[in-house]
Amino acid sequence: MRKYLLSSDPNTEGIRRRRLGQFITITIVALLISSAHNVFFGNWRDAILLVSGAVLTLGAYGMAKRGYTQAASATFTLSLLAVLAAIHWLSTGTHDPTLLAYPALMVFTGLLCAPWLFWLEFALIMLNITLLVIAEAQGWRVAKEALPGWPFWIDVTLIMVTVSMSIALIMRDFRHALASLRSENQRVRRSQKEVEFLASHDALTKLPNRLLARDRCEHALALARRAHKQTALLYIDLDNFKTINDSLGHAAGDQLLLTMSERLQTCVRESDTVARQGGDEFLIILECIPAPEIAADIAKQVIQRLAEPLALGPLNITATCSIGVAVAHDQQDDFDSLLQKADMAMYRAKGAGRNAFRIYDDSMNTKATEQLELASKMRVALIKSEFTLHYQPQFDLRSGQIIGAEALVRWRHPELGLVPPGKFIPVAENSGLIVEMGEWIVLEACRQAKCWLDEGLGELVVGINISPIQFRRGDVEQLINHALAQTGLPAHLLELELTESLLLEDSAHLKTILQNLRSLGISFSIDDFGTGYSNLSYLKHFEVERLKIDQSFIRRLSDDAHDEAIVRAIIQVADSLNLHLIAEGIEDTRTLTKLQELGCEQGQGFLWSPAITASEFKRYVQQHQASPSPAA
């Protein structure tokens, strides 16, 4: 209790100061009443001592009010001790009823004062009592026995009332301290339970977390081996969760996760486990299933259940998911291996268009391993300069003049041979190598274009494909500025080919970058136009200069009425917006003639030349400039 009252906590210090003031007030009142009755009965000496004690304790009260609690406590207890000792020696000595006040004084000192003052008080009281007893026993002082009567009754009553009131206040503090201690113990026990729960469960959904999922999966695997059955792990990832979270807010995202977790639990048995892997990812552990088909059925049920509409704020949305399923087949499978396999299968489901599930098979791991090996070889290829740029000439279909070239990266590996771009470009984007590769492509294409300009080939515009990854993870603006400054290529001879998916992001950051590059004189085109999205508002927002019709529409142009209608519509859009238009994949004169009839201005394709090396491109341009023809 003393530790409680002497705590440095501001609230406890306030209680201590208040209790001290109350004790002093009770004591002053008792001293004044006692002095009054001593005056009434003619005992002026004791009355003067009591009034002196009241004055001293009043000074202690003033100290307490000003915040000097320790000094006030010491002044109060020592003053009271001095008054009691004086009364003992000058009055009835060991027969005086004020001896009853000593225990109360010791209790007060022990609770509200420093330890040194408590032991000092104890020593002084024992010294005073010892000297009184010795003096009276040796006859140095004659003891005066206090006779019963009203004065004696008043003194005992005042002492008992003062001590009782003080002890009542102290006991109330004791009860308060004990109640606080019990409350704190209960809070600590609750906190311990919460900590133990959160160590193995997700804080939001209250589902088992990955740690507990691992334990339950290992238990399920051991049980399945003994029962000669199988265990399946479902890896569930919500589709487009980030879009929902960003557009509707994190509160709506949390509500979606809670709803999805509740729905997942309705799709499984009580013996199965639904866990939250993290973020928007969940796990389902199917215990002791007789066949893999059961896991496939559960995956279908989960997809249907999660796809049911739900209300988030003012909107009704439909959330889909992609699921990877891994089934344990041998004794070597454990939680980590199943999780890895299910993760691969889940990404295969996402690649298949999402809102689907895939069951893991060994070919997935083979493909993943091949991609890792290919990424490793590409890092070496960048260091050893195994990549080269080829250039496909672009023509004005009216004049037949070469107006530029598209720079295309090629990779000839010493062991793998010529690796198709469709194989290594996706790996470069997934691994992030596209940023480093893109920097080399920009610098090399600008250098080569400047060489052609210096060699008298004319002002040929070089088009460079820029991956969306480069805009998100690289500093494209700084890269272009550096390439132009280092090579000396005029900015108007550089064209950046962008994808529709990049422009559809419609971010202020992207718009600022394109505006800054356009201010240098650089132009922009949209690659593979017509295969992406129907929302054409980005053409207005980003002010591109040229559209490239995808070759999938050009190759069947003369034979497919639908492709002709699409190309005709694209040409009309370009004319309406005053955009240049170039057709890719022109391979025969029939297609060229049809494009000219439809009003297409520019083209490229095998009809003229495939993508060729820089030296071959130089010779080709020189020969063509000597004898140009629209279809040559």
Side-chain angles (χ1 to χ4, degrees):
M1 178 65 184
R2 188 181 66 81
K3 186 176 181 180
Y4 164 73
L5 290 175
L6 289 178
S7 169
S8 60
D9 180 74
N11 294 330
T12 304
E13 183 64 25
I15 294 175
R16 178 186 175 194
R17 190 179 301 116
R18 186 164 62 251
R19 290 289 177 265
L20 178 60
Q22 292 171 340
F23 292 157
I24 293 175
T25 301
I26 294 171
T27 303
I28 291 174
V29 172
L31 290 173
L32 292 177
I33 293 175
S34 181
S35 64
H37 93 79
N38 275 284
V39 170
F40 181 78
F41 289 105
N43 189 358
W44 290 96
R45 183 181 54 195
D46 287 357
I48 293 173
L49 289 174
L50 293 168
V51 170
S52 300
V55 172
L56 291 174
T57 52
L58 184 63
Y61 184 82
M63 293 180 186
K65 284 295 184 181
R66 289 194 296 273
Y68 303 110
T69 308
Q70 289 287 352
S73 300
T75 301
F76 171 59
T77 55
L78 293 175
S79 299
L80 194 57
L81 179 59
V83 170
L84 294 175
I87 291 174
H88 294 158
W89 284 96
L90 298 176
S91 185
T92 55
T94 55
H95 298 283
D96 197 282
T98 56
L99 284 173
L100 296 172
Y102 279 146
L105 185 60
M106 289 301 298
V107 171
F108 169 82
T109 306
L111 291 173
L112 292 183
C113 300
W116 67 267
L117 186 58
F118 172 81
W119 293 110
L120 176 62
E121 289 273 355
F122 175 75
L124 291 175
I125 290 173
M126 292 306 299
L127 178 63
N128 181 51
I129 294 175
T130 302
L131 291 175
L132 274 173
V133 171
I134 293 173
E136 291 179 2
Q138 297 296 325
W140 300 337
R141 181 186 183 281
V142 179
K144 298 178 182 180
E145 186 175 353
L147 299 175
W150 286 110
F152 182 86
W153 179 85
I154 292 174
D155 286 339
V156 171
T157 301
L158 286 173
I159 290 171
M160 292 302 296
V161 169
T162 301
V163 171
S164 298
M165 293 180 66
S166 300
I167 291 177
L169 292 173
I170 291 171
M171 292 308 299
R172 186 169 69 174
D173 288 339
F174 264 119
R175 288 191 294 270
H176 175 73
L178 290 174
S180 297
L181 183 60
R182 284 194 296 269
S183 176
E184 181 67 15
N185 287 338
Q186 292 174 355
R187 188 189 67 80
V188 169
R189 285 195 293 268
R190 287 195 300 269
S191 297
Q192 288 175 340
K193 290 181 180 179
E194 290 177 1
V195 169
E196 292 172 358
F197 182 83
L198 291 177
S200 58
H201 290 76
D202 174 58
L204 175 64
T205 63
K206 304 300 185 287
L207 292 175
N209 60 15
R210 178 171 177 169
L211 182 65
L212 184 55
R214 175 191 296 275
D215 182 70
R216 293 191 179 179
C217 184
E218 296 295 348
H219 173 77
L221 288 168
L223 187 63
R225 292 182 187 116
R226 289 195 299 269
H228 302 288
K229 293 187 178 181
Q230 295 178 317
T231 300
L233 178 66
L234 277 64
Y235 197 124
I236 303 163
D237 183 86
L238 301 182
D239 298 329
N240 302 315
F241 175 75
K242 186 178 185 302
T243 301
I244 296 173
N245 213 30
D246 292 344
S247 58
L248 300 181
H250 291 283
D254 289 346
Q255 182 59 48
L256 175 62
L257 292 173
L258 285 170
T259 303
M260 294 298 104
S261 67
E262 292 171 358
R263 292 182 178 181
L264 286 173
Q265 293 176 81
T266 64
C267 298
V268 298
R269 303 165 298 177
E270 291 185 3
S271 60
D272 299 326
T273 297
V274 177
R276 187 181 179 194
Q277 164 79 355
D280 59 342
E281 299 172 340
F282 296 88
L283 302 176
I284 292 180
I285 301 169
L286 300 178
E287 186 175 303
C288 288
I289 58 175
E293 290 75 16
I294 301 297
D297 292 339
I298 295 296
K300 294 176 184 177
Q301 184 178 348
V302 167
I303 290 174
Q304 294 173 355
R305 185 75 176 90
L306 297 193
E308 295 176 3
L310 72 152
L312 283 183
L315 300 178
N316 287 324
I317 70 168
T318 298
T320 62
C321 68
S322 300
I323 304 177
V325 181
V327 180
H329 291 291
D330 54 50
Q331 299 290 329
Q332 303 302 320
D333 281 322
D334 58 11
F335 175 76
D336 291 325
S337 63
L338 285 178
L339 187 64
Q340 180 183 9
K341 294 174 180 178
D343 190 19
M344 289 183 190
M346 183 270 291
Y347 276 105
R348 184 65 64 88
K350 280 193 176 293
R354 305 186 179 186
N355 195 30
F357 76 92
R358 290 293 183 270
I359 299 177
Y360 172 84
D361 59 59
D362 292 337
S363 64
M364 296 182 184
N365 188 41
T366 301
K367 183 175 181 180
T369 303
E370 289 177 351
Q371 290 184 342
L372 286 175
E373 293 177 351
L374 193 61
S376 178
K377 288 182 171 63
M378 288 177 65
R379 295 183 189 278
V380 176
L382 283 169
I383 297 174
K384 294 185 176 181
S385 301
E386 293 178 3
F387 291 100
T388 58
L389 286 185
H390 286 198
Y391 302 87
Q392 186 171 37
Q394 297 174 336
F395 290 83
D396 184 308
L397 299 186
R398 295 189 180 95
S399 66
Q401 295 294 326
I402 297 177
I403 57 175
E406 179 181 6
L408 300 168
V409 64
R410 295 292 183 262
W411 179 21
R412 185 174 294 279
H413 189 269
E415 298 174 359
L416 302 177
L418 187 62
V419 183
K423 185 174 182 179
F424 71 81
I425 291 296
V427 174
E429 291 184 331
N430 291 333
S431 64
L433 286 171
I434 193 66
V435 176
E436 185 177 353
M437 182 186 296
E439 293 175 357
W440 172 81
I441 291 173
V442 170
L443 286 170
E444 176 61 19
C446 289
R447 184 198 65 78
Q448 186 59 63
K450 182 61 167 62
C451 288
W452 289 334
L453 181 65
D454 295 340
E455 291 169 351
L457 295 187
E459 294 191 341
L460 300 176
V461 178
V462 175
I464 303 173
N465 288 280
I466 300 292
S467 169
I469 306 297
Q470 291 178 258
F471 278 95
R472 300 188 190 106
R473 298 177 56 182
D475 193 340
V476 173
E477 185 177 352
Q478 181 180 357
L479 171 62
I480 298 300
N481 276 296
H482 172 70
L484 294 178
Q486 182 172 334
T487 62
L489 178 70
H492 70 277
L493 297 183
L494 178 62
E495 179 184 74
L496 301 184
E497 298 183 7
L498 312 176
T499 63
E500 291 180 279
S501 60
L502 172 66
L503 298 181
L504 282 170
E505 293 181 5
D506 196 15
S507 68
H509 176 67
L510 173 62
K511 192 171 184 178
T512 300
I513 292 176
L514 298 185
Q515 288 176 343
N516 293 339
L517 292 176
R518 181 174 286 103
S519 65
L520 300 175
I522 295 172
S523 59
F524 300 96
S525 66
I526 298 177
D527 195 19
D528 300 333
F529 186 79
T531 61
Y533 302 86
S534 59
N535 183 359
L536 303 180
S537 61
Y538 60 81
L539 295 177
K540 175 182 177 182
H541 292 166
F542 296 101
E543 301 177 5
V544 298
E545 284 79 16
R546 187 162 69 160
L547 306 180
K548 301 188 73 176
I549 307 176
D550 186 68
Q551 57 186 339
S552 62
F553 302 120
I554 302 302
R555 287 174 178 170
R556 299 187 303 271
L557 180 62
S558 301
D559 303 317
D560 193 316
H562 293 289
D563 285 346
E564 180 180 344
I566 291 173
V567 172
R568 188 187 303 275
I570 293 175
I571 293 174
Q572 290 175 351
V573 169
D575 289 341
S576 301
L577 298 176
N578 294 320
L579 300 176
H580 295 292
L581 196 66
I582 182 170
E584 299 179 291
I586 303 175
E587 297 182 355
D588 53 60
T589 55
R590 289 180 58 205
T591 303
L592 173 62
T593 302
K594 176 63 70 174
L595 285 169
Q596 290 172 329
E597 292 174 356
L598 294 175
C600 184
E601 302 173 343
Q602 302 167 1
Q604 67 184 82
F606 284 6
L607 174 62
W608 295 281
S609 171
I612 52 181
T613 64
S615 58
E616 292 173 335
F617 182 85
K618 176 183 175 181
R619 289 193 297 272
Y620 183 88
V621 172
Q622 290 173 338
Q623 293 172 2
H624 188 80
Q625 288 176 344
S627 58
S629 64

